[in-house]
Amino acid sequence: MTGSEEVPPTFRLAYVPGVTPAKWARIWAERLPGTPLTLLQVPASQAPGVLREGAADAGFVRLPVDRDLFSAIPLYTETTVVVVPGDHLVTAAEEVTLDDLADEVVLHPLDDVLGWDRLPGEPAFERPPTTEDAVELVAAGVGVLVVPQSLARLYHRRDLTYRTVVDAPQSDVALCWPREAAGDLVEDLIGIVRGRTVNSTRGRQRPQAEEKPERRENRTARRKPAAGGGKSGGGGKSGGGGKSGGRRGGRPRR
């Protein structure tokens, strides 16, 4: 091994809590085995800065982002749920509204991703530093927590459950990358995330394969009758002699 050998390029993919990139990472490894994929989990609030500073090449982030700086492909919108103790009254219904939380202490962590205009219920005495801390407070009976469903699953506890909040704000997850940093590897990732097959163009222009000359010749040959064929051949109605070879007997035509 010499010092002149090139190190294979790597692609750094950031993702925020609640996003599960395992499926996409597996497909990447199958399609691009020569380009290692490095996964970086970052807090949702820090994801744009990580991309802007070049610490990651692309990322799964929560919208909104600055569209002057970033390109983004929205992937899905998350269901919003309220996390409550397992014996809470709201568990009697499959879905609740914000009005159903009017008398509850609703925790509002500093890393909230829902961007409330007005938080429902009663405010807590102080804001927990993180969503994970807020979940612990829910378990302690301090209040309830409204979050995207993926975060409720991420920080799940056996003594807690959740219910859908039908009229709460929602969080949109997107694939995002700096506008000036777009390249072939970003296009490869876009193709994977969008479910394109390995043979698709993935945004790159590929020339169409020309039909092979021998195939065209064979197709033309199939259209032409075989030599000696036609109605005058041995298989014709005249039994191989044609009109001149048949007997003259029979009734004359009228």
Side-chain angles (χ1 to χ4, degrees), residues 21-61:
K23 177 183 72 173
W24 297 312
R26 174 179 54 79
I27 298 173
W28 178 283
E30 293 171 354
R31 295 189 185 179
L32 300 163
T35 305
L37 181 69
T38 302
L39 297 177
L40 307 169
Q41 187 180 69
V42 297
S45 61
Q46 297 180 19
V50 168
L51 294 174
R52 185 173 56 251
E53 295 165 6
D57 301 297
F60 295 112
V61 306

Coordinates of all heavy atoms in Angstrom, one line a residue, residues 21-61:
P21 N -33.3 6.7 9.3 CA -32.7 6.6 8.0 C -32.2 5.2 7.6 O -31.5 5.1 6.6 CB -31.5 7.6 8.1 CG -31.1 7.5 9.5 CD -32.4 7.3 10.3
A22 N -32.5 4.2 8.4 CA -31.8 2.9 8.2 C -32.2 2.3 6.9 O -31.3 1.7 6.2 CB -32.3 2.0 9.4
K23 N -33.4 2.4 6.4 CA -33.8 1.8 5.1 C -33.0 2.5 4.0 O -32.5 1.8 3.1 CB -35.3 2.0 4.9 CG -35.8 1.5 3.6 CD -37.2 1.7 3.3 CE -37.5 3.2 3.1 NZ -38.9 3.4 2.7
W24 N -32.9 3.8 4.0 CA -32.2 4.5 3.0 C -30.7 4.2 3.0 O -30.1 4.1 2.0 CB -32.5 6.0 3.1 CG -34.0 6.3 2.9 CD1 -34.8 5.9 1.8 CD2 -34.8 7.2 3.7 NE1 -36.0 6.4 2.0 CE2 -36.1 7.2 3.1 CE3 -34.5 7.9 4.8 CZ2 -37.1 7.9 3.6 CZ3 -35.6 8.6 5.4 CH2 -36.9 8.6 4.8
A25 N -30.2 4.1 4.2 CA -28.8 3.8 4.4 C -28.5 2.4 3.8 O -27.4 2.2 3.2 CB -28.4 3.9 5.8
R26 N -29.4 1.5 4.0 CA -29.2 0.1 3.5 C -29.1 0.1 2.0 O -28.3 -0.5 1.3 CB -30.3 -0.8 4.0 CG -30.2 -2.2 3.4 CD -31.3 -3.1 4.0 NE -32.6 -2.5 3.8 CZ -33.3 -2.5 2.7 NH1 -32.9 -3.0 1.6 NH2 -34.5 -1.9 2.7
I27 N -30.1 0.8 1.3 CA -30.1 0.9 -0.1 C -28.9 1.6 -0.6 O -28.3 1.2 -1.7 CB -31.4 1.6 -0.6 CG1 -32.6 0.8 -0.1 CG2 -31.4 1.8 -2.1 CD1 -33.9 1.5 -0.4
W28 N -28.4 2.6 0.0 CA -27.2 3.3 -0.4 C -26.0 2.3 -0.4 O -25.2 2.3 -1.3 CB -26.9 4.5 0.6 CG -25.6 5.2 0.3 CD1 -24.4 4.8 0.6 CD2 -25.5 6.5 -0.3 NE1 -23.4 5.7 0.2 CE2 -24.1 6.8 -0.4 CE3 -26.4 7.4 -0.8 CZ2 -23.6 8.0 -0.9 CZ3 -25.9 8.6 -1.4 CH2 -24.6 8.9 -1.4
A29 N -25.9 1.5 0.7 CA -24.8 0.6 0.8 C -24.8 -0.4 -0.4 O -23.8 -0.9 -0.9 CB -24.8 -0.1 2.1
E30 N -26.1 -0.8 -0.8 CA -26.2 -1.8 -1.9 C -25.8 -1.2 -3.2 O -25.2 -1.8 -4.1 CB -27.6 -2.3 -2.0 CG -28.0 -3.1 -0.8 CD -29.5 -3.5 -0.7 OE1 -30.3 -2.9 -1.6 OE2 -29.9 -4.2 0.1
R31 N -26.2 0.1 -3.4 CA -26.0 0.7 -4.7 C -24.7 1.4 -4.9 O -24.1 1.5 -6.0 CB -27.1 1.8 -5.0 CG -28.5 1.1 -5.1 CD -29.5 2.2 -5.6 NE -30.8 1.6 -5.6 CZ -31.9 2.3 -5.9 NH1 -31.8 3.6 -6.3 NH2 -33.1 1.8 -5.9
L32 N -24.1 1.9 -3.8 CA -22.9 2.7 -3.8 C -21.9 2.1 -2.8 O -21.5 2.8 -1.9 CB -23.1 4.1 -3.5 CG -24.1 4.9 -4.5 CD1 -24.6 6.1 -3.9 CD2 -23.4 5.1 -5.8
P33 N -21.5 0.8 -3.0 CA -20.6 0.2 -2.0 C -19.2 0.9 -1.9 O -18.6 0.7 -0.9 CB -20.5 -1.2 -2.5 CG -20.8 -1.2 -4.0 CD -21.8 -0.1 -4.1
G34 N -18.8 1.6 -2.9 CA -17.5 2.2 -2.9 C -17.5 3.6 -2.2 O -16.5 4.2 -2.1
T35 N -18.7 4.1 -1.8 CA -18.9 5.4 -1.1 C -19.5 5.2 0.2 O -20.7 5.1 0.3 CB -19.7 6.3 -2.0 OG1 -19.1 6.4 -3.3 CG2 -19.7 7.7 -1.4
P36 N -18.7 5.2 1.3 CA -19.3 5.0 2.6 C -20.2 6.1 3.0 O -20.0 7.3 2.6 CB -18.1 5.0 3.5 CG -16.9 4.7 2.6 CD -17.2 5.2 1.3
L37 N -21.3 5.8 3.7 CA -22.3 6.7 4.2 C -22.1 6.9 5.7 O -22.2 5.9 6.4 CB -23.7 6.2 3.8 CG -24.9 7.2 4.3 CD1 -24.8 8.5 3.4 CD2 -26.2 6.5 4.1
T38 N -21.9 8.1 6.1 CA -21.8 8.4 7.5 C -23.0 9.1 8.0 O -23.4 10.1 7.5 CB -20.5 9.3 7.8 OG1 -19.4 8.7 7.3 CG2 -20.4 9.6 9.2
L39 N -23.7 8.5 9.0 CA -24.9 9.1 9.6 C -24.6 9.9 10.8 O -23.8 9.5 11.7 CB -25.9 8.0 10.0 CG -26.4 7.1 8.8 CD1 -27.2 6.0 9.4 CD2 -27.1 7.9 7.8
L40 N -25.2 11.1 10.8 CA -24.9 12.1 11.9 C -26.3 12.5 12.5 O -27.0 13.2 11.8 CB -24.1 13.3 11.5 CG -22.8 13.1 10.7 CD1 -22.4 14.4 10.0 CD2 -21.8 12.5 11.6
Q41 N -26.6 12.1 13.7 CA -27.8 12.6 14.4 C -27.5 14.0 15.0 O -26.6 14.1 15.8 CB -28.3 11.7 15.4 CG -29.7 12.1 16.0 CD -30.2 11.1 17.0 OE1 -29.7 11.1 18.1 NE2 -31.3 10.4 16.7
V42 N -28.4 14.9 14.7 CA -28.2 16.3 15.2 C -29.5 16.8 15.7 O -30.6 16.4 15.2 CB -27.6 17.2 14.1 CG1 -26.2 16.8 13.7 CG2 -28.6 17.3 13.0
P43 N -29.5 17.7 16.7 CA -30.8 18.3 17.2 C -31.5 19.0 16.0 O -30.8 19.6 15.1 CB -30.3 19.3 18.3 CG -29.0 18.7 18.8 CD -28.4 18.1 17.6
A44 N -32.8 19.0 16.0 CA -33.5 19.7 14.9 C -33.1 21.1 14.7 O -33.0 21.6 13.6 CB -35.0 19.5 15.2
S45 N -32.9 21.8 15.8 CA -32.6 23.3 15.7 C -31.2 23.5 15.1 O -30.9 24.6 14.6 CB -32.7 23.9 17.1 OG -31.7 23.3 18.0
Q46 N -30.3 22.5 15.2 CA -29.0 22.7 14.7 C -28.7 22.1 13.3 O -27.7 22.4 12.7 CB -28.0 22.0 15.7 CG -28.0 22.6 17.1 CD -27.0 21.8 18.0 OE1 -26.1 21.1 17.6 NE2 -27.2 22.0 19.3
A47 N -29.7 21.4 12.8 CA -29.5 20.8 11.5 C -29.2 21.8 10.4 O -28.3 21.5 9.6 CB -30.7 19.9 11.1
P48 N -29.9 22.9 10.2 CA -29.5 23.8 9.2 C -28.1 24.4 9.3 O -27.4 24.5 8.3 CB -30.6 25.0 9.3 CG -31.7 24.3 10.0 CD -31.1 23.3 10.9
G49 N -27.7 24.6 10.5 CA -26.3 25.1 10.7 C -25.3 24.1 10.3 O -24.2 24.4 9.8
V50 N -25.5 22.8 10.6 CA -24.6 21.7 10.3 C -24.5 21.7 8.8 O -23.4 21.5 8.2 CB -25.1 20.4 10.9 CG1 -24.4 19.2 10.2 CG2 -25.0 20.4 12.4
L51 N -25.6 21.8 8.0 CA -25.5 21.8 6.6 C -24.8 23.0 6.0 O -24.0 23.0 5.1 CB -26.9 21.7 6.0 CG -27.6 20.3 6.3 CD1 -29.1 20.4 5.8 CD2 -26.9 19.2 5.6
R52 N -25.1 24.2 6.6 CA -24.6 25.4 6.1 C -23.1 25.5 6.3 O -22.3 26.0 5.5 CB -25.2 26.6 6.8 CG -24.8 28.0 6.3 CD -25.6 29.1 7.0 NE -25.6 29.0 8.4 CZ -26.6 28.7 9.2 NH1 -27.7 28.3 8.7 NH2 -26.4 28.7 10.5
E53 N -22.6 24.9 7.4 CA -21.2 24.9 7.7 C -20.4 23.8 7.0 O -19.2 23.8 7.1 CB -21.0 24.8 9.2 CG -21.5 26.0 10.0 CD -21.7 25.8 11.5 OE1 -21.2 24.6 11.9 OE2 -22.2 26.6 12.2
G54 N -21.1 23.0 6.3 CA -20.4 21.9 5.6 C -20.1 20.7 6.4 O -19.3 19.8 5.9
A55 N -20.6 20.6 7.6 CA -20.3 19.4 8.4 C -21.1 18.2 8.0 O -20.8 17.1 8.4 CB -20.7 19.7 9.9
A56 N -22.1 18.4 7.1 CA -22.8 17.3 6.5 C -23.2 17.7 5.0 O -23.3 18.9 4.7 CB -24.1 17.0 7.3
D57 N -23.3 16.7 4.2 CA -23.6 16.9 2.8 C -25.1 17.1 2.5 O -25.5 17.8 1.5 CB -23.0 15.8 1.9 CG -21.5 15.7 2.1 OD1 -20.8 16.6 1.8 OD2 -21.1 14.6 2.6
A58 N -25.9 16.4 3.2 CA -27.3 16.5 3.1 C -27.9 16.1 4.4 O -27.2 15.6 5.3 CB -27.9 15.7 2.0
G59 N -29.2 16.3 4.6 CA -29.8 15.9 5.9 C -31.3 15.7 5.8 O -32.0 16.3 4.9
F60 N -31.9 14.9 6.7 CA -33.3 14.8 6.9 C -33.6 15.8 8.0 O -33.2 15.6 9.2 CB -33.7 13.4 7.2 CG -33.5 12.4 6.1 CD1 -32.5 11.4 6.2 CD2 -34.2 12.5 5.0 CE1 -32.3 10.5 5.2 CE2 -34.0 11.6 3.9 CZ -33.0 10.6 4.1
V61 N -34.4 16.8 7.7 CA -34.6 17.9 8.6 C -36.1 18.2 8.7 O -36.9 17.6 8.0 CB -33.9 19.2 8.1 CG1 -32.4 19.0 7.9 CG2 -34.5 19.8 6.9

